Amino acid sequence: MTRETPWQVHLSGEIHTDWRERIRAAARERNLPVRFTAPVTDHAASDDVGVRILGEEQDAFWRDRKGAGINAIRTRTQLERADLVVVRFGEEYRQWNAAFDAGQAAALGKPLVVVHPPGLGHALKEVDAAAMAVCAEPEQVAEILEYVTREEAGEAAGAR
Amino acid sequence: MTRETPWQVHLSGEIHTDWRERIRAAARERNLPVRFTAPVTDHAASDDVGVRILGEEQDAFWRDRKGAGINAIRTRTQLERADLVVVRFGEEYRQWNAAFDAGQAAALGKPLVVVHPPGLGHALKEVDAAAMAVCAEPEQVAEILEYVTREEAGEAAGAR
Amino acid sequence: MTRETPWQVHLSGEIHTDWRERIRAAARERNLPVRFTAPVTDHAASDDVGVRILGEEQDAFWRDRKGAGINAIRTRTQLERADLVVVRFGEEYRQWNAAFDAGQAAALGKPLVVVHPPGLGHALKEVDAAAMAVCAEPEQVAEILEYVTREEAGEAAGAR
Amino acid sequence: MTRETPWQVHLSGEIHTDWRERIRAAARERNLPVRFTAPVTDHAASDDVGVRILGEEQDAFWRDRKGAGINAIRTRTQLERADLVVVRFGEEYRQWNAAFDAGQAAALGKPLVVVHPPGLGHALKEVDAAAMAVCAEPEQVAEILEYVTREEAGEAAGAR
Amino acid sequence: MTRETPWQVHLSGEIHTDWRERIRAAARERNLPVRFTAPVTDHAASDDVGVRILGEEQDAFWRDRKGAGINAIRTRTQLERADLVVVRFGEEYRQWNAAFDAGQAAALGKPLVVVHPPGLGHALKEVDAAAMAVCAEPEQVAEILEYVTREEAGEAAGAR
Amino acid sequence: MTRETPWQVHLSGEIHTDWRERIRAAARERNLPVRFTAPVTDHAASDDVGVRILGEEQDAFWRDRKGAGINAIRTRTQLERADLVVVRFGEEYRQWNAAFDAGQAAALGKPLVVVHPPGLGHALKEVDAAAMAVCAEPEQVAEILEYVTREEAGEAAGAR
Amino acid sequence: MTRETPWQVHLSGEIHTDWRERIRAAARERNLPVRFTAPVTDHAASDDVGVRILGEEQDAFWRDRKGAGINAIRTRTQLERADLVVVRFGEEYRQWNAAFDAGQAAALGKPLVVVHPPGLGHALKEVDAAAMAVCAEPEQVAEILEYVTREEAGEAAGAR
Amino acid sequence: MTRETPWQVHLSGEIHTDWRERIRAAARERNLPVRFTAPVTDHAASDDVGVRILGEEQDAFWRDRKGAGINAIRTRTQLERADLVVVRFGEEYRQWNAAFDAGQAAALGKPLVVVHPPGLGHALKEVDAAAMAVCAEPEQVAEILEYVTREEAGEAAGAR
């Protein structure tokens, strides 16, 4: 009996806390049929990738452009493949790339879940309004995943 | 020799009768290459999922919004993945969500089969007119699936 | 100085009350840059159109199919052209076609506004969750239209 | 002789400085065939629109949701209609909605121009990498518009 | 008060009878807001256009290819622009191009009306099943157009 | 080392000769990475499927409609999944469904190969002009498949 | 009586000869309902536009990038709006941008006409194979435009 | 634990040097989850395929057309399936097909990497501006692939 194709879930945004690990751990505990993708979360590796591979730049603007181009190859493919996009915002940094990913997800018609401390609600109201769910803790994302992938009795029953 | 990819069939609509089980049983008997998906059919679990995961609400409207958002993550992905969408209408309840799913399926270009008692024909005429087939009994859906997935002699013959 | 293209707003759903006239009157008062479309609201004309033009049918099912086909030509084109789709649900009738239109609008990425008495909220929770706004009175739709089409100072200032 | 259809340019982002006015003034001086659209830039009107039209809310989260929903009707239609999307980031505030609009524009395949002080380059590198042009002053946007809409000798020469 | 944009209706298929003229006459009588497009119906001009403009060919196959390419520029643009595609089949000739146009219209999501003598029903069943309406006389098409473009009381009432 | 995903090839059109078997046999001999799909080629089963499953009809038109609807579920899914669509036209019958499938394939952007006796070239010129290749014998289709799926030295070399 | 919307024709490629002027003159003579668009054909203005508006660059690579970005805003919008894309290749220069535009036009589903000296046929075979017509002289393009926009008797007859 | 789906990478362009082999070798060394596709790089086989399978032609133009049609079946499917398109330009030949493929990739929204000697930068500026990365050596492509497919700690951790 064939199981349903796993859900592919992209985890975008904040890279300075352990929120991705917490979602993964909670998903593992629940044995969920889910595959996660993420940006490269090693900050230095991500910032340097452009000039490391494509050659050094004097100007910081072009240095950043080279790195952002390569990171965009990864992100765009992960967004296109995702069944669900989760975006996390934290108190620190501008995190414009997180909001940019959320905008791409919305326009691509991907279901969006936003995770942020309640205090950021007003600043994130446009992003939240485009989301199917807004929560504060990573474990809530795992609960959502458990629910949306829960198999109904006999769901794959006809499959050879 | 590789077999064709199974058809994914989404079963939307009425949750108070055993119509899904009857289709699954009939598909199992026929050993059809089909995978079924469905909404969560435990009514209380479905109604409560929003506030259970995302936190309680005073206002019934927002309580419903939270639940509907999470259910929409599940439904939207299942509709997008479906090769065929089957929608069942019964005598009871308004079942606006069933008609809403049918409208989404039609606009996404998904083949649509509608199942309802003959007496509902006039009220459902717009939905029926968008369907490839309209029938009254779940077993007829299994017969349709048997026909559309029936393998022609030598169909996969070239595949390694 | 060129003005912006008017917004095309489709008014779907209930045909037994004067809700469309109330929106139009309120829009006229406000002199809004909006064009409205609607299904044929003469119930008998709508029900009979299929057999009147394409020939009589014995069977009620095919009678309805013929009429629904011609109405769908009108509705589909109006939905495709709409910048905003407003769907009204009332206490009477099943109104599955209204929910079907809402589903099509959602899947086509059209902004959706739903109008219904508050008491229908639970039954309409899936439709409401897909809407940008939910309200009870037609005049609120005109207020929304006034806001979304309001011209910012100098908005068309560069246009020859 | 028919002139080409004007370009529709959406001006998203920062609402506390006069950058939109500067672009419009510079476009007017150059007599460019351009129409501008923008969000409602009256901050209070924008924040309050949801509860003003749809009814008061106790909870700030739902208050914001109602307002963001109505603003999204406006923004989404303006983005869909735009030939070019210009997004401005400033030193103050988080401006996640600006980055969210940029993400939508990118995924919709709309050409994107980003305007920001040079010092924000590193924080905006993902957004900048998706842009066709990045500049610091609003007048540069008018210069770009002048170039991209410049009529070649005889460009409309065949048109009756 | 702005009127609605006229409907663009493409008339594909049979070129040996006066069915297009009959539809146009009936539309003119009814003063319908409709624009018609059609292939070039001068048979010789259509067959020869390729070699006349692009140079003679020895081989009949490439002679036909050149002509069909230029005709396809016209047809494809007319189909893309159409709100409604009408395809006429008659007793004579194979008319594979008519069925080919119908297939394109169906896949592009364009509403389809098919006109043919009742006796061709079995041979055309796949095409008819994709149509919103099937009729035998050109005047019925005009009646359909009258219905689908009929203006509801006050339909454009809000437009400046 | 992972092999490339097999190509899915849909074989549409004529059902009275052995052309599909000849393509399959030639593909099997060459051991090609190809999966074939086809309509149900048992003529009576195909014609009767609608009334057999959905109930008898008096009127031949609706009898055909029911059957065509179910066959369309099969065909539409097979066309959507196909990497290549092959359409065969023969001397007999009108075969409008074959041209209809070719039109759908063209509008869906699927590469198209047409197989027909040379004498039908003028009647099929619009269909042929939309094709990537036109040939007369089924074995030529197998040769095309061999070429387009031929693995370059080391093509999958990086795959784990 | 409303005339059909003019065709918008984009003229891409070679900028060193007068081929665009010849097409325009021939279209003017024939009084065709066509609007032409083109890249900026002043070579220096095109090459310098990036650094002139966005600031000087040391590195030739980034100098070119800035200019190409602004030119792409113009080209992309003109391609999106075009009903027909004409691409001209000449004997001199690499003209990779012309082939790049042709590839974009093909993938966007725009009808493509290619103009080049016969001697370049082998080098351009992939581009030619994607075209609806291939010719050597600009006047042939005007003849094609005359044919595809030729009005059938009574074509706009129903329009008010 | 399920691994992520491999990336499919299409290698378009120059066929006279060993650049594809160098990328494949570098990917193999790194054990990357990547599958490569490519055009048929046997020049004579590619040029002759049309007339070999479909029959000889007198005229070189149609000879080329037949071959290009069959090669396009292969290329189009490989481009549609690709997660990343790499296009290589060299000093020799016009390579218009490489730029044509790049244009298709860009319009299909596929991430693009361009490989060329630095001296070709000015001639390729429009193509480079559409790319996520531009480099000179094939091994740099493998480094990019290593980065974009690099698995984050626990990335597939939830998958059963």
Side-chain angles (χ1 to χ4, degrees), chain E residues 33-51:
Chain E
V34 171
R35 283 199 302 239
F36 295 105
T37 57
V40 170
T41 56
D42 173 340
H43 200 155
S46 172
D47 268 13
D48 296 345
V49 65
V51 292

Side-chain angles (χ1 to χ4, degrees), chain A residues 3-5 7 9 32-34 83-85 109-113 131-133 141-156, chain B residues 8-13 15 20-21 24 35-42 45-47 49 52-53 66-82 85 97 100-101 104 108, chain C residues 126 129, chain H residues 160:
Chain A
R3 294 195 54 90
E4 202 190 337
T5 314
W7 284 50
V9 178
L32 303 180
V34 172
D83 297 299
L84 178 67
V85 176
K110 303 289 178 181
L112 183 67
V113 171
M132 299 282 198
V141 175
E143 288 187 78
I144 292 171
L145 289 172
E146 183 170 34
Y147 180 84
V148 298
T149 63
R150 138 185 185 171
E151 197 158 328
E152 287 293 289
E155 193 158 54
Chain B
Q8 185 148 329
V9 178
H10 185 62
L11 304 176
S12 172
I15 63 171
R20 284 187 186 80
E21 284 66 33
R24 285 171 186 144
R35 282 197 302 236
F36 296 104
T37 57
V40 169
T41 56
D42 172 341
S46 172
D47 268 14
V49 65
R52 179 175 64 78
I53 298 180
K66 280 183 163 175
I70 292 179
N71 279 298
I73 296 174
R74 180 177 177 110
T75 300
R76 182 76 191 199
T77 297
Q78 290 174 335
L79 285 174
E80 292 275 4
R81 289 180 171 188
V85 175
N97 60 328
F100 183 70
D101 283 356
Q104 288 185 83
L108 292 170
Chain C
E126 289 85 2
Chain H
R160 284 182 286 197

Side-chain angles (χ1 to χ4, degrees), chain E:
Chain E
M1 212 130 81
T2 326
R3 293 193 54 88
E4 200 190 338
T5 314
W7 284 51
Q8 184 148 331
V9 178
H10 185 62
L11 305 176
S12 172
E14 200 190 36
I15 61 171
H16 304 90
T17 65
D18 65 347
W19 72 279
R20 285 187 186 80
E21 285 65 32
R22 286 169 59 191
I23 292 179
R24 286 171 185 143
R28 212 164 23 225
E29 265 173 45
R30 288 163 171 81
N31 196 24
L32 303 181
V34 171
R35 283 199 302 239
F36 295 105
T37 57
V40 170
T41 56
D42 173 340
H43 200 155
S46 172
D47 268 13
D48 296 345
V49 65
V51 292
R52 179 175 64 78
I53 299 179
L54 303 177
E56 198 47 71
E57 287 293 327
Q58 299 295 347
D59 189 335
F61 181 80
W62 297 119
R63 194 177 197 282
D64 282 334
R65 171 65 61 97
K66 280 182 164 177
I70 292 178
N71 279 299
I73 296 174
R74 179 178 177 110
T75 300
R76 182 77 192 198
T77 297
Q78 291 175 333
L79 285 174
E80 292 275 4
R81 290 180 169 188
D83 297 300
L84 178 66
V85 176
V86 180
V87 186
R88 161 80 182 175
F89 294 86
E91 301 284 1
E92 290 181 282
Y93 305 98
R94 301 267 197 163
Q95 304 172 74
W96 280 320
N97 61 326
F100 183 70
D101 283 357
Q104 287 185 83
L108 292 169
K110 303 290 179 182
L112 182 68
V113 171
V114 183
V115 187
H116 63 74
L120 297 179
H122 187 64
L124 281 166
K125 62 183 182 298
E126 288 85 2
V127 179
D128 285 357
M132 298 280 199
V134 178
C135 58
E137 300 302 327
E139 285 72 19
Q140 292 171 296
V141 175
E143 289 186 79
I144 292 171
L145 289 171
E146 183 170 34
Y147 180 84
V148 298
T149 64
R150 139 186 185 170
E151 198 159 324
E152 287 294 290
E155 193 160 53
R160 283 182 287 198

Side-chain angles (χ1 to χ4, degrees), chain G residues 132-160:
Chain G
M132 298 281 199
V134 178
C135 57
E137 300 301 327
E139 286 73 18
Q140 291 172 295
V141 175
E143 289 186 77
I144 292 171
L145 288 172
E146 183 170 34
Y147 180 84
V148 297
T149 63
R150 139 185 186 169
E151 198 159 325
E152 287 294 290
E155 192 160 54
R160 284 181 286 196

